[in-house]
Amino acid sequence: MFAHSSISRRECKLFAMSVLVLTLLPVGAFAGKKKQPATATPDPGQQRLQFDIRKIVWPNPPAITRIRFLDMYSGQKIDWSMFDKKKQKPKQKWMDRLAGTKPPSEQIDMSKIPYQLLRTYGVAVDSKGNIYAADQGVAAIFIFNPETKDVQLIRNGKEARFGLINGLAIDDNDRLFVTDDKLREVLVINPKHQEEAAFGANILGNPGGVAIDTENRFLYVVDTGNDVVDVFDADTFKFLRKIGVSGKKHTLADPGTFSLPTNIALDRDGNVYVTDTLNARVEIFDAEGNFISEFGKRGDGAWQFDRPKGIAVDGDGHIWVVDAAQDRIKVFDRQGHLLIYFGTHGNYPGEFMDAFGIAIDKNNRVITSEQFPGRVQVFRYITDAEAEQARTGQAQSVQADAKPVQAPPTQAASAPPGQVQSSAAH
């Protein structure tokens, strides 16, 4: 499991600063800089990285890596040449000048301008490993293919109709469930990216996070406005029950109740985890909606919550929580003990600007979303089994290095001392 120890707030802050500094040091920071000739001019086409993002891990060596940065997405590729005004302009005809028509090179085809993430909320992953991101600013769902780097979109007014999209969940048939805060319903989109159903408009107030239990066929929808979690049949879309108490205007704090809940996650046993945002806690229920336990306390410490939003559970049962106010991703055990955390305010990899959503797929990829600017980051969770294997290998390597080198007995008995030492040295 993740290492855990009791530390003071000051120690946590100092540790976080040291992790950030060590993680984001520029490549070659400890090497002497090579002096360039005065006449040397930089190559404008050469890409310059401030640090090697392939080596960003948490915690830092020599500790066993548990989280590794993989990639980030911000939208479609941009062909900057389409905005290049230095391109040679074709000669304009006198009739065009008279009519005030711009030459072709000055006319930008608006349909070819790529989409960029603006304000990203829910994230999800389909069976093929494609990453889905709901963006309220663009009013579209981005679909990123990590293998080909292609980007598709499910657009408002084209493939579907959106008001204010929020949460995403995908079932084992790659049906996409989308909560819409403005339309106050759940949209169902098939694998061909066609809208096939909508439900919940007569029940939901302000739907947010959504999660699906593929085995029990339950669809859980967080109704932030009504302070409850609504449970539907994932196939018939029939309303089954609710978790929590509505109508109290965000004033409840008793176990099993909510005040502005936002997101939801499930573990492999069907247990339900809800971020109760205004109460700064995580509440846990069984598959029937019975309250089990809670953890969390308001504060700005790494082990506390300021504004918990996104939540996910990995294959080892660890609970990952996004703190939007602190811009941190925090990992807890079932009892609420903080195991590890990473992140701070910023635009570098591993930093966040108003972090919001999180999802963990079957390949142990951790996908996060943030809103200012819109961005999706991808990390790799190193499982308990993988970490133990690495720890065992590291221990064996240390033991092998510590073992003294001895010359063969026959050689030691017949050779002069100096020759034996020379043989051992080589």
Side-chain angles (χ1 to χ4, degrees), residues 160-390:
R161 56 183 181 86
F162 299 133
L164 205 60
I165 52 180
N166 197 327
L168 299 179
I170 299 177
D171 70 6
D172 44 3
N173 296 316
D174 281 346
R175 284 191 308 170
L176 176 65
F177 294 85
V178 185
T179 60
D180 195 299
D181 191 26
K182 186 176 181 180
L183 300 179
R184 298 186 176 184
E185 61 186 10
V186 180
L187 307 177
V188 185
I189 299 174
N190 64 29
K192 296 182 179 179
H193 303 163
Q194 300 167 337
E195 183 181 338
E196 64 176 29
F199 63 93
N202 59 332
I203 297 173
L204 298 169
N206 298 102
V210 57
I212 185 168
D213 183 337
T214 56
E215 186 169 338
N216 295 313
R217 308 308 300 170
F218 294 149
L219 184 77
Y220 295 88
V221 181
V222 177
D223 190 340
T224 304
N226 289 325
D227 293 328
V228 297
V229 173
D230 293 313
V231 187
F232 297 86
D233 186 293
D235 299 311
T236 65
F237 313 138
K238 178 183 177 182
F239 175 73
L240 301 177
R241 63 179 184 274
K242 67 179 179 180
I243 304 173
V245 178
S246 60
K248 300 300 181 180
K249 298 181 179 180
H250 323 309
T251 59
L252 298 181
D254 297 331
T257 66
F258 307 108
S259 182
L260 292 178
T262 52
N263 285 274
I264 190 167
L266 307 175
D267 65 17
R268 61 179 59 185
D269 297 321
N271 295 311
V272 182
Y273 302 74
V274 183
T275 47
D276 187 11
T277 303
L278 196 58
N279 287 321
R281 65 185 177 183
V282 171
E283 295 194 77
I284 307 174
F285 304 82
D286 65 19
E288 299 302 319
N290 301 308
F291 176 79
I292 298 176
S293 62
E294 65 176 49
F295 67 86
K297 182 179 180 181
R298 183 169 300 282
D300 60 359
W303 59 95
Q304 298 170 319
F305 293 131
D306 195 341
R307 198 164 73 239
K309 290 292 183 72
I311 188 168
V313 182
D314 64 35
D316 291 325
H318 305 128
I319 305 159
W320 299 58
V321 182
V322 176
D323 195 312
Q326 296 181 16
D327 275 328
R328 286 171 172 159
I329 310 297
K330 309 177 182 185
V331 187
F332 299 86
D333 64 13
R334 183 72 175 267
Q335 289 69 44
H337 299 136
L338 178 66
L339 305 176
I340 194 172
Y341 72 94
F342 65 101
T344 186
H345 304 291
N347 292 309
Y348 287 119
E351 297 179 341
F352 305 97
M353 293 298 289
D354 203 355
F356 185 88
I358 188 170
I360 302 177
D361 70 3
K362 60 183 179 182
N363 295 317
N364 300 310
R365 291 184 306 170
V366 180
I367 295 93
T368 64
S369 68
E370 52 199 290
Q371 300 178 44
F372 303 109
R375 186 170 61 165
V376 169
Q377 296 192 60
V378 184
F379 306 85
R380 167 71 157 83
Y381 162 59
I382 309 302
T383 66
D384 287 346
E386 291 172 323
E388 183 59 32
Q389 186 177 8

Side-chain angles (χ1 to χ4, degrees), residues 6-18 300-304 328 341:
S6 293
I7 51 179
S8 68
R9 180 177 300 184
R10 175 177 172 81
E11 289 172 330
C12 273
K13 289 183 177 179
L14 290 174
F15 172 75
M17 291 176 64
S18 65
D300 60 359
W303 59 95
Q304 298 170 319
R328 286 171 172 159
Y341 72 94

